[in-house]
Amino acid sequence: MAWRKPAGREADGCAEEAAALRTGLVREIVAGGGLTDPAWRAAFEEVPRHLFVPYYYEAGDATAAAAPPGAKTAGAAGTAGAAGTGGAAEAAEAGEVDAAHGTVGYTRLWRDDPHPLRRARWLAGAYADAPLATRVRDGELITSSSQPSLMARMLQALQVRDGDRVLEIGAGTGYNAALLAHRLGDAHVTTLDLDPEITEAARNHLAAAGFRPAVVTGDGARGCPLHAPYDRIIATCAVASIPSAWLGQCRPDALILTPLATGLIALRVADARHAEGRFLAIPAYFVPLRGSGPPPRVPTHGLPSRPLLDDSFRFLLNVAAGHMEPVEALALWEHEGRPGRERYGVTVRGERQWAWLDDPEGAYGWPLGPPGRLEPFRGLSPGAP
């Protein structure tokens, strides 16, 4: 049976309206085929997302002419501070500039805006089925609150059971950790982030909503041995390969779910050196794990434009980036019937790890990680019959 926890006191005066908006959001996710598990549905119905996004940013040209009176924007060269509980000090820390300066960047919506229409817009956005940019630094998106329907699919794909211990890589706003804590209990959830400002803000948001899982500042690639072993690891940031520390901190038969190559890979862990699994069918675009370097460049030279419009082909280009010529990838994709994400998988075997199509021992495999780091495990001519 799902573990339940009441949400914290909503001191911002919008509890009733927020509850109605949550109901609408859950109804929308269910209509789209998500939240088939009653325990996760209860979590989304009861955890107040707006307490985790006291402000967020909409991308656009925030000029004096276009912005509403008193609007603020975060400039492309600004620095976003901790996402705390709102107010003038938080606005100053966020590195914002007045819209009158005509800065091209992000328009800020926040819960303490003196204008009631903009406050209503903030609250409605907090319960839209859309990702929210919550932190921008030097023009780069640092952290965001993911699209709720994608979060729901990821949490259900995690296949948690009562009593499972879960490590989340990427604390973000703390909202995903709150959903996990609602389902499993505070003592079974650890969320980790490299940035102390992010973890401090997530901890504050969680406390405001009535949750107190472990919030740890540290390198996501190293995991969190303090609270290991884990039954599940879920990452909310993209990796180029699977960090070995994650496997080492898992119990046998644990599940790791992480974004990789614009997809979501679900790996079943055999032991500290072996894991294998397939990608989910759904696309997923996440910011890279901080400190891991930029993702490999995806070449497209020599390709016609039409295949590049197909998501399944772009996924193959990302999976094989740096290890296959684009024209070879196109030949493979067409020869194999334009495979979707669910036909691909990943195997970790000691120091080796590779992505594959259909069969880990089959004709097509590509090493994960930067080009040249590993030798290809296997690969026949992509155009071969």
Side-chain angles (χ1 to χ4, degrees), residues 335-383:
H335 181 266
E336 295 297 327
R338 303 183 177 186
R341 284 174 171 80
E342 67 278 8
R343 285 179 57 186
Y344 296 86
V346 166
T347 296
V348 178
R349 188 175 297 166
E351 299 302 317
R352 283 184 174 273
Q353 49 182 287
W354 66 95
W356 39 265
L357 174 65
D358 290 334
D359 184 347
E361 308 293 345
Y364 304 110
W366 309 275
L368 295 180
R373 187 183 125 193
L374 296 172
E375 290 298 319
F377 170 74
R378 182 169 288 137
L380 302 180
S381 170

Side-chain angles (χ1 to χ4, degrees), residues 70-350:
K72 298 286 186 178
T73 65
T79 300
T85 57
E90 182 181 271
E93 290 175 0
E96 295 167 355
V97 295
D98 193 272
H101 290 100
T103 303
V104 176
Y106 293 81
T107 301
R108 177 179 182 265
L109 298 175
W110 62 310
R111 73 176 183 189
D112 294 325
D113 193 307
H115 197 289
L117 293 179
R118 287 196 295 267
R119 288 199 306 274
R121 180 180 166 193
W122 160 79
L123 186 61
Y127 289 103
D129 187 25
L132 300 175
T134 55
R135 185 180 300 258
V136 179
R137 181 173 296 162
D138 297 330
E140 177 186 0
L141 176 62
I142 298 299
T143 184
S144 63
S145 182
S146 301
Q147 183 177 9
S149 58
L150 177 59
M151 297 174 70
R153 290 179 181 274
M154 289 179 68
L155 289 170
Q156 290 202 164
L158 202 58
Q159 301 175 30
V160 297
R161 303 158 298 190
D162 291 348
D164 278 351
R165 297 182 66 85
V166 178
L167 171 63
E168 179 191 28
I169 307 295
T173 66
Y175 178 55
N176 202 56
L179 294 167
L180 285 163
H182 184 286
R183 172 68 178 83
L184 297 169
D186 290 344
H188 291 84
V189 178
T190 299
T191 185
L192 176 71
D193 204 284
L194 182 64
D195 191 326
E197 290 185 345
I198 291 176
T199 51
E200 180 184 3
R203 190 178 294 110
N204 291 339
H205 297 159
L206 284 157
F211 298 96
R212 297 189 182 277
V215 182
V216 179
T217 302
D219 184 352
R222 297 179 181 272
C224 182
L226 179 64
H227 298 136
Y230 303 102
D231 301 286
R232 300 289 186 269
I233 293 180
I234 181 171
T236 57
C237 46
V239 296
S241 59
I242 309 302
S244 60
W246 295 4
L247 271 66
Q249 293 170 27
C250 282
R251 289 193 175 100
D253 202 42
L255 190 70
I256 295 174
L257 183 67
T258 182
L260 190 154
T262 76
L264 291 167
I265 185 69
L267 291 170
R268 186 65 66 176
V269 177
D271 55 42
R273 292 173 57 82
H274 299 86
E276 190 168 274
R278 288 185 177 269
F279 282 90
L280 306 187
I282 57 176
Y285 298 87
F286 285 80
V287 295
L289 175 69
R290 295 190 65 194
S292 63
R297 177 178 165 272
V298 179
T300 58
H301 55 272
L303 292 174
S305 59
R306 185 176 296 274
L308 292 172
L309 300 176
D310 193 298
D311 178 73
S312 66
F313 179 61
R314 295 197 307 272
F315 175 71
L316 173 57
L317 287 178
N318 276 275
V319 165
H323 301 287
M324 178 182 288
E325 289 297 320
V327 291
E328 292 179 327
L330 178 59
L332 183 155
W333 179 68
E334 292 178 335
H335 181 266
E336 295 297 327
R338 303 183 177 186
R341 284 174 171 80
E342 67 278 8
R343 285 179 57 186
Y344 296 86
V346 166
T347 296
V348 178
R349 188 175 297 166

